[in-house]
Amino acid sequence: MLRRSKAEVECYVASVQASAASQREKSLKGFQFAKLYFELKEYELAKRYVSTYLSVQKRDPRAHRFLGQIYEAEDNIEKAFGCYRRSVELNPMQKDLVLKIAELLCNNAVTDERAKYWVEKSAKLFPGSPAVYKLKEQLLDCKAPSLAELHKYDVDNTLPSHLGKSQSNSELEVAHQNLQHETKMSQLRETLRKMTDENNELRSSLNSLRENNELLKTQQHETKMSQLRETLRKMTDENKQHETKMSQLRETLRKMTDENNELRSSLNSLRENNELLKTQHETKMSQLRETLRKMTDENNELRSSLNSLRENNELLKTQHETKMSQLRETLRKMTDENNELRSSLNSLRENNELLKTQHETKMSQLRETLRKMTDENNELRSSLNSLRENNELLKTQHETKMSQLRETLRKMTDENNELRSSLNSLRENNELLKTQHETKMSQLRETLRKMTDENNELRSSLNSLRENNELLKTQQHGTKRSQLRQPFRKMTDENNELRSSLNSLRENNELLKTQQHETKMSQLRETLRKMTDENKQHETKMSQLRETLRKMTDENNELRSSLNSLRENNELLKTQHETKMSQLRETLRKMTENNELRSSLNSLRENIEFLKTQARLIISCY
């Protein structure tokens, strides 16, 4: 961590306080500022900022603990003890802080009831801990002078009574030595009793350690196996769900294939209908062209006859005018007939002009109709060609997508097979881990058996020590004192060795548990991560497959809509064709009426010829 200078910290504090929106937000940032100043050993500023934070957050155990650390750094033990105690009251789960309070009191020679209370509380939270044992020794060492003074006080109070009873110096010295020996023996008994209690505590802690170890082993194994079974069950359910989804997908694909076959059959039938309609249209158009050609020839003949009729009429008019000028006087009786003839001729001219205009308009309409039909036929041909091209393109796209879908299904089948193989390997690894755990637990039982043997040896040495103690009482103090120190020293060494072996055993046990647990959990996490990744890949592939199916469904819908539109266009073309054919029939009917007009013209010609012959006869008569 990069160490900051005081100027940098002050600049940072000023910038944060300037950006704060309210005074409460500034106070809440005080804990962070206090940590920065604590790193710089600016304890007064750290206390000020953490106090500002506590004015807002009064029940934050972290802040009270941090304030206790500041007071401890300033060697203010009482205030540090008060802050630590307040933090433990707010959060009783801080076991390490309880041990820290006991160490703080014992290291600073506080031997009142507070130290005893916190040491006993630490012993309850950490049974068999070497740190708690050291704290008990420190507490006894701190109390030892007071016991010595008490014994000294007893000796000083007892000596005058002995001095009053016996006047000789030898008797006083013997009494004094006996009293000192008694006090030392009482201290030794007290020490032996404490060591016996500690040995009993060690045995109970060892038994609890064995029970905890067995319980932890069974609980961890059961929990791991249950978790593994649950994971395998979930994966089996997921595979079943995937299988059902795949079956549904296959059913959907089969239905879509049937629909595509139906669409192909409908397209083929539509093509056949279009071809048939095209041939029918071609035949009708050829018939119509032949009819129009004949009508055109007849119209040309009609035009030529009308022209000749006009010329004859003009010539007849001129001849008739000349002859009528000569015969005005002679043909007075025929004036009325000539007037009627003129009126009929005028009406004939008007009828001829009207017939000419009607014929021109009908011919223009017919040409426009033919032009529109030609354009529509061209559009129909182009739409049919585009429809064929689109059908071919859709067919190729459908074939490619179906091949991609088959390839995707094959890959998913391979991945499911790989997933099954990974599950089998996971089961094999689980069995292997189980056998390794059993071997390690057998080694741990062997180690515990050896420790039990050592404890038995320790009991035998304690029994021999008791015998030596009894022997020390009967023998003199000077000769047996060295012999008593030797077993006591041996027992102390054996106790120390036993504690060290227990500590090493606990450490090895914890290390073994953590290593085994970490390796198994890491392997299990890795396996679960791989399985999760495979499931994610499977889900992505399934989503891609769903997306492909959705696109194919949309394309099929579009194809259906295009087919429907094509059917509608065909129906529309049929109706248009029917209307045009009806119009053509109407035109033919009108042309039939023109034939009637032609017959009337022929009758008119005959009447004119008859009039000419009558006029010639009249002229020949006169």
Side-chain angles (χ1 to χ4, degrees):
M1 183 177 173
L2 184 62
R3 189 175 181 85
R4 300 182 179 89
S5 63
K6 185 177 179 181
E8 291 175 351
V9 171
E10 288 178 351
C11 183
Y12 172 73
V13 169
S15 63
V16 172
Q17 286 182 347
S19 63
S22 61
Q23 185 64 34
R24 178 180 174 80
E25 189 175 352
K26 290 181 182 179
S27 301
L28 290 173
K29 295 289 184 180
F31 193 17
Q32 184 180 358
F33 300 154
K35 289 181 179 179
L36 295 174
Y37 282 114
F38 184 75
E39 291 176 0
L40 297 175
K41 296 183 180 180
E42 294 289 337
Y43 299 131
E44 292 296 328
L45 292 173
K47 283 193 292 184
R48 188 179 72 184
Y49 281 110
V50 78
S51 299
T52 306
Y53 175 79
L54 285 171
S55 65
V56 180
Q57 296 289 335
K58 295 180 180 181
R59 298 186 62 81
D60 191 351
R62 298 179 296 116
H64 286 285
R65 181 172 181 171
F66 185 70
L67 184 60
Q69 290 178 0
I70 297 172
Y71 283 124
E72 187 180 357
E74 291 180 344
D75 293 333
N76 194 342
I77 305 303
E78 292 296 328
K79 289 187 178 180
F81 170 71
C83 293
Y84 286 152
R85 185 181 62 188
R86 179 59 177 164
S87 179
V88 172
E89 289 175 356
L90 293 172
N91 185 10
M93 299 304 293
Q94 302 180 87
K95 296 181 180 179
D96 57 338
L97 187 57
V98 174
L99 186 60
K100 185 177 178 65
I101 293 172
E103 289 177 351
L104 178 68
L105 294 174
C106 291
N107 291 332
N108 291 278
V110 178
T111 60
D112 52 4
E113 293 297 326
R114 293 181 300 170
K116 184 178 178 182
Y117 170 76
W118 288 101
V119 170
E120 289 177 354
K121 193 171 183 179
S122 301
K124 291 179 182 179
L125 293 175
F126 302 97
S129 175
V132 176
Y133 181 74
K134 290 179 181 178
L135 290 175
K136 286 183 178 179
E137 287 183 347
Q138 289 179 4
L139 189 63
L140 289 173
D141 292 338
C142 291
K143 289 184 177 180
S146 62
L147 288 172
E149 288 176 0
L150 181 61
H151 287 299
K152 185 177 179 180
Y153 175 75
D154 291 337
V155 171
D156 293 337
N157 290 332
T158 309
L159 280 174
S161 63
H162 282 286
L163 288 173
K165 290 179 181 179
S166 66
Q167 299 294 324
S168 80
N169 292 327
S170 61
E171 290 178 356
L172 288 173
E173 289 177 358
V174 170
H176 187 267
Q177 288 177 359
N178 287 327
L179 187 58
Q180 287 180 351
H181 181 69
E182 288 294 328
T183 54
K184 288 178 181 180
M185 287 300 293
S186 63
Q187 290 176 2
L188 188 60
R189 289 190 194 97
E190 184 68 22
T191 306
L192 286 172
R193 187 182 61 77
K194 289 179 180 179
M195 289 179 70
T196 306
D197 295 335
E198 288 176 359
N199 282 325
N200 292 324
E201 289 178 358
L202 285 172
R203 288 191 191 94
S204 62
S205 63
L206 185 61
N207 292 323
S208 63
L209 181 63
R210 284 177 190 151
E211 293 174 357
N212 290 326
N213 193 6
E214 292 294 328
L215 184 61
L216 181 64
K217 182 182 73 173
T218 55
Q219 286 179 355
Q220 285 180 354
H221 186 69
E222 290 295 327
T223 54
K224 287 176 183 177
M225 288 302 291
S226 62
Q227 289 174 1
L228 189 60
R229 289 192 195 96
E230 185 67 22
T231 306
L232 289 172
R233 187 182 61 77
K234 288 180 181 178
M235 289 179 68
T236 307
D237 294 336
E238 288 178 358
N239 285 325
K240 288 180 180 178
Q241 290 177 2
H242 286 309
E243 289 294 330
T244 54
K245 288 180 182 178
M246 288 298 293
S247 62
Q248 292 175 1
L249 188 62
R250 289 191 193 97
E251 185 67 23
T252 306
L253 285 172
R254 188 181 62 77
K255 289 180 181 178
M256 288 181 70
T257 306
D258 296 335
E259 288 179 357
N260 285 323
N261 292 324
E262 291 177 0
L263 286 172
R264 285 194 190 95
S265 62
S266 63
L267 279 171
N268 292 322
S269 63
L270 184 61
R271 286 192 190 113
E272 292 174 357
N273 291 323
N274 283 326
E275 292 293 329
L276 183 62
L277 184 63
K278 184 178 178 182
T279 53
Q280 290 177 358
H281 186 71
E282 290 292 330
T283 54
K284 288 180 181 179
M285 287 301 291
S286 62
Q287 292 175 1
L288 186 62
R289 288 190 194 96
E290 185 66 26
T291 306
L292 285 172
R293 187 180 60 77
K294 290 178 181 180
M295 288 175 68
T296 305
D297 294 334
E298 289 178 357
N299 283 324
N300 290 325
E301 291 177 358
L302 185 62
R303 283 192 192 94
S304 63
S305 63
L306 283 171
N307 290 324
S308 64
L309 184 62
R310 284 191 191 107
E311 291 174 358
N312 291 324
N313 281 327
E314 291 295 328
L315 182 61
L316 182 62
K317 184 179 178 181
T318 54
Q319 289 177 0
H320 186 72
E321 287 294 330
T322 55
K323 290 178 180 180
M324 286 302 291
S325 63
Q326 294 175 2
L327 294 174
R328 280 187 190 98
E329 293 295 331
T330 58
L331 296 175
R332 184 178 51 82
K333 293 179 180 180
M334 292 181 71
T335 304
D336 298 330
E337 294 177 359
N338 284 326
N339 291 324
E340 291 177 0
L341 183 63
R342 285 190 188 93
S343 63
S344 65
L345 284 171
N346 291 323
S347 64
L348 181 63
R349 287 190 190 98
E350 290 175 358
N351 290 324
N352 284 328
E353 292 294 329
L354 182 62
L355 181 64
K356 183 179 178 182
T357 54
Q358 286 178 358
H359 185 71
E360 291 294 330
T361 54
K362 288 177 181 179
M363 287 301 292
S364 63
Q365 289 176 1
L366 186 62
R367 289 190 194 96
E368 185 66 25
T369 304
L370 287 172
R371 186 181 62 77
K372 289 180 180 179
M373 286 178 70
T374 306
D375 295 334
E376 288 175 357
N377 285 324
N378 292 324
E379 290 177 357
L380 184 62
R381 287 191 190 93
S382 63
S383 63
L384 284 170
N385 292 322
S386 64
L387 181 63
R388 287 193 191 97
E389 292 174 358
N390 289 325
N391 284 329
E392 293 295 329
L393 182 61
L394 284 172
K395 185 177 178 181
T396 54
Q397 288 179 357
H398 184 70
E399 291 295 330
T400 55
K401 287 177 181 177
M402 287 300 291
S403 62
Q404 290 176 1
L405 187 61
R406 291 189 193 96
E407 185 65 25
T408 306
L409 287 172
R410 186 182 61 78
K411 290 180 180 179
M412 286 174 70
T413 305
D414 296 334
E415 287 176 357
N416 281 325
N417 292 326
E418 291 177 359
L419 186 63
R420 290 189 186 96
S421 62
S422 64
L423 280 171
N424 292 324
S425 63
L426 181 63
R427 291 190 186 99
E428 292 174 358
N429 290 325
N430 191 10
E431 294 294 329
L432 183 61
L433 286 172
K434 187 175 179 182
T435 53
Q436 290 178 357
H437 185 72
E438 291 294 330
T439 54
K440 289 179 181 177
M441 288 308 294
S442 63
Q443 292 175 0
L444 186 62
R445 289 190 193 97
E446 186 66 25
T447 307
L448 288 171
R449 187 181 60 78
K450 291 179 181 180
M451 287 181 66
T452 307
D453 296 335
E454 290 178 358
N455 280 326
N456 291 326
E457 292 177 0
L458 183 62
R459 287 191 191 96
S460 63
S461 64
L462 282 171
N463 291 325
S464 63
L465 184 62
R466 288 192 189 97
E467 293 174 357
N468 290 325
N469 243 347
E470 294 295 329
L471 186 62
L472 181 64
K473 287 180 181 179
T474 57
Q475 293 177 357
Q476 291 182 359
H477 177 69
T479 58
K480 300 296 180 180
R481 189 173 182 179
S482 61
Q483 294 177 1
L484 186 62
R485 285 197 192 99
Q486 188 68 22
F488 182 73
R489 187 175 58 80
K490 288 181 181 179
M491 193 174 73
T492 307
D493 296 335
E494 288 176 357
N495 280 325
N496 292 325
E497 289 176 358
L498 183 62
R499 288 191 192 94
S500 62
S501 63
L502 277 171
N503 292 324
S504 63
L505 181 62
R506 288 194 190 97
E507 291 174 357
N508 290 325
N509 193 8
E510 292 293 329
L511 183 62
L512 182 62
K513 285 194 292 187
T514 54
Q515 286 178 355
Q516 288 179 355
H517 186 69
E518 289 295 327
T519 52
K520 289 178 182 178
M521 289 302 291
S522 62
Q523 290 175 0
L524 191 59
R525 287 191 196 98
E526 185 67 23
T527 307
L528 288 174
R529 186 182 62 78
K530 288 180 181 179
M531 291 173 71
T532 306
D533 294 335
E534 289 176 357
N535 284 324
K536 286 181 180 178
Q537 291 177 1
H538 194 67
E539 287 294 329
T540 53
K541 288 179 182 177
M542 288 295 291
S543 62
Q544 291 175 359
L545 193 59
R546 289 192 195 96
E547 185 67 23
T548 307
L549 285 172
R550 188 183 62 77
K551 289 181 180 178
M552 287 179 69
T553 308
D554 295 336
E555 289 175 358
N556 285 323
N557 291 325
E558 290 177 359
L559 187 60
R560 288 192 191 93
S561 62
S562 63
L563 283 170
N564 292 323
S565 63
L566 185 61
R567 288 192 188 98
E568 291 175 358
N569 290 325
N570 283 327
E571 294 293 330
L572 183 62
L573 285 171
K574 284 181 182 178
T575 54
Q576 289 178 357
H577 186 71
E578 292 292 330
T579 54
K580 288 177 182 177
M581 289 301 293
S582 63
Q583 289 177 0
L584 282 173
R585 289 190 192 96
E586 185 69 24
T587 306
L588 288 172
R589 189 180 61 77
K590 289 180 180 179
M591 288 177 72
T592 306
E593 291 177 357
N594 284 328
N595 290 325
E596 292 177 356
L597 183 61
R598 194 180 294 132
S599 63
S600 65
L601 281 171
N602 290 322
S603 65
L604 183 62
R605 281 183 198 146
E606 291 175 355
N607 291 323
I608 289 170
E609 290 294 330
F610 180 70
L611 286 171
K612 283 181 181 180
T613 54
Q614 284 183 356
R616 286 192 193 99
L617 288 172
I618 292 168
I619 289 168
S620 65
C621 288
Y622 286 101

